[in-house]
Amino acid sequence: MRVLQKMKNAVRSRSIHVSYVDTGSCNGCDIEVLACLSPRYDLEQYGIYVHNNPREADVLLVIGCCTPQWEDKLRSIWEKIPEPKVAIAIGNCPVSGCVFNREGGYVNPPAEKHIPIAASVPGCPPRPTEIIRAILSLAPQVFEDYEEKQG
């Protein structure tokens, strides 16, 4: 691997841009993601920056059960994120549907049916430290030799 490529990978793995989408949750996980932005957890000290625009993101956080209204929208958001990209399912809802997954209900779990999920953070809701740990654990995988894989 070239020296320039190694430097790019090192810089990129310390500058992670995250976007999150709530596809139908009770807002418990949403509050925990927003708590990551508070001074207590301070995402930016780890080089993680939150964007509302998926075109600026490397990581997509999926929160909540995937309802029928969100199936196509979630795929559309996923396609707008430039390569390299990963998605993380936050909480039990995008993994299993949790309490909303009932017979005759309007949820369609898991989120993996609609977009590829690289990691999941279980819990109802998961702690902010667990969310941060999941993002940081995927950072080296996202940027590892990306330009060489494209060539």
Side-chain angles (χ1 to χ4, degrees), residues 11 29 63 69 107 109 151:
V11 170
C29 295
I63 303 166
Q69 296 88 348
V107 298

Side-chain angles (χ1 to χ4, degrees), residues 3 7 30 46 53 58 65 68 90 111 118 142:
V3 175
M7 286 176 41
D30 194 29
Y46 301 107
N53 187 354
D58 304 312
C65 302
I90 304 293
V142 173

